[in-house]
Amino acid sequence: MPSSASGANSRTKPGTTATDRVSGTTESITSTTTATAEKQTLKQRNVPTANGNGKAHGKPNGILTDKRTASDDDAGGNSSDASNNSIDPVTGEVLRTQRWAPYCPSFSVAFKTLFVVRALAATYSNISDCDEVFNFWEPMHYLQYGTGLETWEYSPVYAIRSWAYILVHALPAEITRLAMSANRLQVFFILRIILGAVSAHCEATLYRAVVDEVDPRIGRYLLLALFSSAGTWVASNAFIPSTFAMYTTMLFFSQTLQAPHQHSGKRTFWAIFWVGLGALLGWPFSAAVGLPFALEELLIHSRDHSRKKKTVRFRDWRMMRFLRLVTSAIAVLGCVLIPIIIIDHYYYRKLVIVPLNIVLYNVFGGDVGPEIFGTEPWWFYFLNGLLNFNVLLPAAFLSFPLLVITYYTVPDVLPNSPSSDGLPLKDPLVWFSLKLSPFYLWFAIFTAQPHKEERFLFVVYPLICFNAVVTLFMGQKIVQRVLDKFVARSKKAAIHKYSTGLVWMVLIASAAISLSRILALHEHYSAPIDVYRKAFDLVKVPGPINIDGADSTVVLPSSTVSGDAVSTNDKKHPETIRVCVGKEWYRFPSHYFLPEGAKLGLIKSHFDGLLPGEFQELASNAQLPPVAAKPSAARGKEHTPISVDWRWSADRRPGTSYVPKFMNNENKEVSEHYTPLDQCQYLVDLDYSGRFTDNSQSQDLIEPRYLQDKEHWERLYCKKFLDTQVGAGRNRWVRAFWIPDKITVALTRGQTKVWGDYCLARRKSV
């Protein structure tokens, strides 16, 4: 029987001494200890180490670390150097040493940064579309306070606006009013800030999805583009369905960036839910951005080559995906459309499907379709996009051509998902084409429509930024690859660093141009919202009025100008004060800017279309009639139907179901909507004094210069408003962007800006 020593010797290699064996064991232990210490050091430094499968771990400190090999920006190539690899002393496998990935702010940091900008936009940005006021702010004011202007879209005869959409926004506004005892002006701005917070959340979600699923560098570029563009500044806190659809489009697109799953329908359901919510509750046409996703579900089995064996046959998995799409769509219809129908039925007092009515009117409206409200040339959206996104819009259009060029020339520079663990995309051309196509599809559809408005593009504003930054990323990589062929290897790292800096220079230049646009909008055209904000304090209402957020009643005597309110229990109907507008009706920011008891009055101007009327009102202290008993199914018995008497009930707001007598969908003028001038106690008007000389007087009898009639009107508060027909304002660059005065004079050959007076005036006592 062999001894233990001989057994040990028999397991060693021939010619190996005991000293060599001990030395080998010591070296093995030392190398293992060194490797362990190295891993611990890397862990302390937040450098990702590798697991047993050679895959990188984790996102230390909330900063995404690239799970691929060396960064082009940091290293100067796509391949890792052999010297950067180490060997696992236990398994003998080659381990890749990961380098630092580019810094990407966490979701929290991105949200807070975006929210600051959106809160500033909510406070200082203008209302760019009168439809936002008359179709959404005014109906919500009617729900909250019982007064407001009504457009023909809310007539039960047409019913192409949903009260469910208004209610979704009115609830947080009412909660704010009750919790903070806020007046209506404060409610207006707080709701805009809430909308800005929602936008910031959706933008941060999209940014992190791009970082995690596309490329960290593209994510960083996207964050700066969203943060700084003038387009998102305008659209982020607008109270219109296209902005709501923009929110849901960002959440939808964040879902579509994830990899398809054969055995899980979570991605499919949430993608369809968000696009369905935006289409049904917001704007039905926003569903068009979901068409490429449906194609992706049916064309792409998986994003990478990781599936080595297929558990489902090719034809079967497509059928499963199709059934998943159908069942998800049915579920979304059930959980979104049914509540909308119930709410609209409650307020309209009839069964209506508002999303269907919108489609029928806009697509099959015929002679009374949206074209009667004006048409624009084919290049309207191109010009508007250049104003709001400047160089990013051409970059967005170049994304697909550059993708094709990159795919057929240098395909290895296409971005790869960090979540794919370094596995290449299965069909990168198809995958990226489907991600870039929603912008092209939307732009083509609405460019073909004769009736065009800026707000129609709000839905794809984030996608413009995404396509643009993808173009910048691919352009950077192509420039790097071309220059690599003409420079020495030692200079490649510097070339890559400079090309990356060039991308940042383009983004910063775009941000500077957008800032100039934002400043111009505020300086040149913010007078209306500033004047009406002041009118909330300057307009005095005599008679008993109900203070917002309080139950008490106060009285302002008719002769009071700035006197104190006096408590009283007088219940007589308050006197209505009319604040009138003529040619400036479309810049009215809503009744949230007028105190309780004051209403807008419309006086005749050169506009000969249909102006809004007033919702039918119910006195605040009126008692609803008792509900009559009805015969019951049981013989000889009666039952009383349930009646809900709350401030927003359809009984308290009869205008939601009342059919106005003079409304029409043909944009025909209705004289009954005008207020006689002698019934106006206050007036808001714009006077372009620079267009008239001292010896000339306006001969316009329809739109006289009210502010020059000092015998009947006295100015209370004025702000300057840019005159675009005289002086430097005629130059399109001067009126579209903020330019220093010295440069303006040089650009316009000595001309300066001429300003009009946008004023609130009060009728003088006779």
Side-chain angles (χ1 to χ4, degrees):
M1 183 177 216
S3 64
S4 59
S6 62
N9 291 334
S10 65
R11 290 191 293 269
T12 61
K13 294 182 180 180
T16 304
T17 63
T19 303
D20 295 335
R21 291 194 300 271
V22 173
S23 176
T25 303
T26 304
E27 292 176 357
S28 176
I29 295 173
T30 303
S31 61
T32 304
T33 304
T34 304
T36 303
E38 181 181 356
K39 290 183 179 180
Q40 292 177 351
T41 303
L42 292 175
K43 184 176 181 180
Q44 293 173 356
R45 296 178 180 178
N46 291 329
V47 177
T49 58
N51 58 19
N53 297 324
K55 298 179 180 179
H57 285 295
K59 302 175 183 178
N61 292 339
I63 302 174
L64 180 72
T65 52
D66 199 350
K67 297 181 181 180
R68 295 171 292 171
T69 56
S71 163
D72 288 347
D73 295 341
D74 302 328
N78 288 331
S79 60
S80 299
D81 201 0
S83 61
N84 292 330
N85 298 332
S86 58
I87 299 178
D88 192 317
V90 179
T91 63
E93 297 179 354
V94 177
L95 301 178
R96 294 178 182 269
T97 302
Q98 303 292 329
R99 301 186 181 183
W100 283 99
Y103 168 74
C104 294
S106 65
F107 173 88
S108 177
V109 172
F111 169 77
K112 293 174 183 177
T113 304
L114 289 166
F115 174 69
V116 170
V117 179
R118 300 299 168 243
L120 291 173
T123 306
Y124 295 105
S125 65
N126 307 324
I127 298 178
S128 59
D129 197 325
C130 63
D131 278 352
E132 178 181 351
V133 173
F134 297 119
N135 279 327
F136 306 105
W137 283 110
E138 285 296 297
M140 192 180 80
H141 187 275
Y142 177 67
L143 279 187
Q144 281 195 284
Y145 301 102
T147 61
L149 298 178
E150 178 184 15
T151 61
W152 67 271
E153 289 100 322
Y154 282 92
S155 171
V157 176
Y158 311 108
I160 63 172
R161 299 296 181 188
S162 175
W163 285 103
Y165 176 76
I166 300 298
L167 200 63
V168 167
H169 294 76
L171 287 175
E174 184 67 8
I175 292 173
T176 298
R177 187 188 73 83
L178 296 175
M180 303 178 62
S181 296
N183 60 42
R184 59 187 66 195
L185 182 61
Q186 294 168 340
V187 168
F188 176 90
F189 285 103
I190 291 174
L191 181 59
R192 293 189 90 188
I193 292 174
I194 292 174
L195 294 176
V198 174
S199 178
H201 172 82
C202 297
E203 293 173 76
T205 301
L206 175 61
Y207 151 73
R208 285 307 308 182
V210 172
V211 168
D212 294 339
E213 304 296 340
V214 182
D215 188 272
R217 298 161 191 81
I218 295 179
R220 292 192 303 176
Y221 300 156
L222 177 64
L223 180 61
L224 180 57
L226 292 172
F227 172 85
S228 61
S229 70
T232 53
W233 170 274
V234 173
S236 60
N237 49 37
F239 181 14
I240 50 178
S242 53
T243 289
F244 181 82
M246 182 185 76
Y247 301 157
T248 58
T249 296
M250 286 188 280
L251 298 176
F252 155 76
F253 198 67
S254 301
Q255 292 291 327
T256 63
L257 292 177
Q258 300 177 13
H261 298 285
Q262 184 61 33
H263 302 290
S264 174
K266 181 179 178 181
R267 168 181 179 264
T268 303
F269 172 79
W270 283 111
I272 293 180
F273 174 81
W274 290 120
V275 76
L277 181 64
L280 296 173
L281 186 59
W283 200 25
F285 301 103
S286 65
V289 299
L291 295 178
F293 170 73
L295 289 177
E296 178 187 356
E297 285 286 283
L298 300 177
L299 293 178
I300 298 180
H301 180 273
S302 58
R303 188 167 60 185
D304 51 46
H305 295 277
S306 60
R307 296 183 60 87
K308 295 183 179 180
K309 59 179 182 179
K310 297 181 179 179
T311 58
V312 183
R313 290 182 300 174
F314 178 77
R315 185 179 302 174
D316 293 340
W317 74 260
R318 289 195 173 187
M319 180 58 66
M320 292 175 61
R321 293 279 182 86
F322 177 76
L323 293 176
R324 183 187 297 172
L325 287 171
V326 173
T327 54
S328 298
I330 293 174
V332 170
L333 283 174
C335 64
V336 176
L337 184 59
I338 291 178
I340 293 175
I341 294 176
I342 292 174
I343 294 173
D344 288 333
H345 178 271
Y346 173 72
Y347 281 108
Y348 279 119
R349 300 293 178 90
K350 60 183 291 188
L351 180 62
V352 295
I353 304 177
V354 172
L356 179 61
N357 290 350
I358 295 175
V359 174
L360 293 177
Y361 169 75
N362 286 276
V363 178
F364 305 104
D367 296 335
V368 293
E371 291 79 10
I372 65 176
F373 297 101
T375 58
E376 300 292 343
W378 64 269
W379 44 262
F380 174 81
Y381 288 132
F382 292 92
L383 178 60
N384 185 266
L386 288 173
L387 287 175
N388 288 319
F389 293 97
N390 48 79
V391 297
L392 295 184
L393 183 70
F397 279 109
L398 290 174
S399 57
F400 181 73
L402 200 60
L403 171 65
V404 175
I405 295 174
T406 304
Y407 178 76
Y408 287 106
T409 56
V410 281
D412 56 310
V413 304
L414 288 174
N416 195 18
S417 170
S419 64
S420 64
D421 297 326
L423 295 171
L425 288 173
K426 189 174 183 179
D427 299 299
L429 180 61
V430 176
W431 191 85
F432 276 104
S433 298
L434 291 172
K435 303 308 174 188
L436 300 176
S437 59
F439 160 68
Y440 290 100
L441 180 63
W442 187 270
F443 207 94
I445 291 174
F446 283 90
T447 300
Q449 306 303 314
H451 179 64
K452 300 177 178 66
E453 296 187 37
E454 177 185 358
R455 57 191 171 96
F456 293 168
L457 281 189
F458 284 5
V459 178
V460 293
Y461 272 7
L463 302 185
I464 292 176
C465 296
F466 175 77
N467 283 36
V469 297
V470 169
T471 297
L472 295 177
F473 178 85
M474 291 188 296
Q476 171 199 356
K477 297 302 180 183
I478 292 176
V479 170
Q480 288 179 359
R481 187 57 57 88
V482 171
L483 294 179
D484 283 348
K485 298 180 179 180
F486 300 98
V487 298
R489 182 178 180 86
S490 59
K491 298 182 179 180
K492 288 184 178 180
I495 291 295
H496 294 181
K497 184 180 296 185
Y498 293 144
S499 63
T500 303
L502 182 62
V503 173
W504 286 108
M505 288 179 61
V506 172
L507 290 172
I508 293 173
S510 175
I513 298 174
S514 290
L515 179 61
S516 176
R517 171 66 175 170
I518 292 170
L519 292 176
L521 291 175
H522 180 73
E523 181 183 9
H524 297 165
Y525 311 110
S526 65
I529 201 168
D530 291 338
V531 169
Y532 279 103
R533 189 182 308 191
K534 197 69 175 179
F536 188 83
D537 298 321
L538 294 178
V539 173
K540 303 301 179 182
V541 181
I545 60 174
N546 293 324
I547 300 300
D548 296 338
D551 297 328
S552 60
T553 303
V554 301
V555 164
L556 290 177
S558 299
S559 60
T560 298
V561 175
S562 59
D564 297 332
V566 181
S567 299
T568 184
N569 292 323
D570 190 0
K571 297 297 183 180
K572 65 180 181 180
H573 194 275
E575 179 181 345
T576 299
I577 294 297
R578 289 289 179 180
V579 180
C580 295
V581 292
K583 62 179 180 293
E584 290 299 304
W585 64 270
Y586 59 95
R587 292 193 176 105
F588 174 61
S590 79
H591 275 89
Y592 284 93
F593 287 76
L594 298 181
E596 178 76 15
K599 293 183 180 179
L600 185 73
L602 300 170
I603 55 181
K604 177 61 180 173
S605 66
H606 286 300
F607 178 76
D608 58 355
L610 177 64
L611 291 173
E614 293 185 359
F615 280 106
Q616 188 182 38
E617 300 175 10
L618 186 70
S620 59
N621 57 352
Q623 298 295 327
L624 296 180
V627 180
K630 296 183 179 180
S632 176
R635 182 179 300 178
K637 295 184 178 181
E638 293 183 346
H639 77 282
T640 302
I642 298 176
S643 177
V644 179
D645 184 12
W646 60 302
R647 194 157 59 90
W648 292 5
S649 67
D651 293 326
R652 289 288 181 186
R653 302 293 181 254
T656 60
S657 58
Y658 177 77
V659 179
K661 295 180 181 179
F662 305 106
M663 286 295 183
N664 63 81
N665 65 342
E666 300 175 359
N667 198 26
K668 292 182 179 179
E669 186 177 21
V670 175
S671 59
E672 286 78 5
H673 290 174
Y674 292 117
T675 299
L677 183 61
D678 57 4
Q679 296 182 12
C680 301
Q681 290 80 21
Y682 294 86
L683 178 73
V684 175
D685 197 28
L686 173 60
D687 184 71
Y688 290 113
S689 57
R691 300 181 184 180
F692 305 93
T693 62
D694 295 338
N695 297 326
S696 67
Q697 296 294 331
S698 172
Q699 301 299 322
D700 194 337
L701 299 179
I702 298 179
E703 294 181 357
R705 299 178 65 189
Y706 296 106
L707 298 178
Q708 297 300 319
D709 184 7
K710 298 181 180 180
E711 181 180 353
H712 296 92
W713 300 98
E714 62 173 333
R715 301 186 182 190
L716 297 181
Y717 185 76
C718 295
K719 293 286 288 187
K720 61 180 184 179
F721 192 93
L722 182 66
D723 192 336
T724 59
Q725 294 187 13
V726 296
R730 291 180 296 179
N731 186 288
R732 65 183 61 183
W733 300 106
V734 172
R735 64 174 179 260
F737 299 96
W738 181 85
I739 302 175
D741 293 338
K742 292 183 179 180
I743 300 179
T744 298
V745 172
L747 188 64
T748 58
R749 298 180 180 180
Q751 293 183 331
T752 59
K753 296 177 182 178
V754 178
W755 302 92
D757 296 324
Y758 205 100
C759 298
L760 169 69
R762 179 176 57 194
R763 181 181 292 276
K764 290 184 176 180
S765 301
V766 179

